[in-house]
Amino acid sequence: FSALSTQGYALFPLVLSATISIFIKWSFIRFIIYVLFVAWAIYAATINLKVSGVLPGRVFLAIYPVGLVYATLGWLCVIT
């Protein structure tokens, strides 16, 4: 449950980017926002995984699928 709640906290930047995307119609600006906020989400998830007990050498293995999910969700914010 702890890991799930920390990953939910890391989803906040994607929710924020989706909210901002509602008001911005230009795809280029949305893409810049997408890159910044997905980087913020992946950074937050990395910090949360380090704190929750993932071994230091295995953080990349744990963050890779999480980063792919965040990138996909962020990309949906850009194209819709």
Side-chain angles (χ1 to χ4, degrees), residues 3-80:
L4 184 63
S5 66
T6 57
Q7 293 306 317
Y9 168 75
L11 277 174
F12 172 72
L14 295 179
V15 172
L16 193 59
S17 72
T19 305
I20 292 171
S21 294
I22 293 171
F23 302 109
I24 298 175
K25 300 301 179 197
W26 297 302
S27 295
F28 182 72
I29 302 297
R30 290 167 104 177
F31 181 74
I32 292 171
I33 291 171
Y34 154 75
V35 170
L36 293 175
F37 282 46
V38 167
W40 178 17
I42 291 173
Y43 175 74
T46 303
I47 297 300
N48 289 333
L49 284 173
K50 286 180 183 177
V51 171
S52 65
V54 175
L55 296 173
R58 306 266 177 162
V59 172
F60 179 75
L61 291 175
I63 200 64
Y64 182 73
V66 174
L68 286 177
V69 169
Y70 289 173
T72 303
L73 290 174
W75 185 248
L76 286 174
C77 293
V78 172
I79 63 172
T80 56

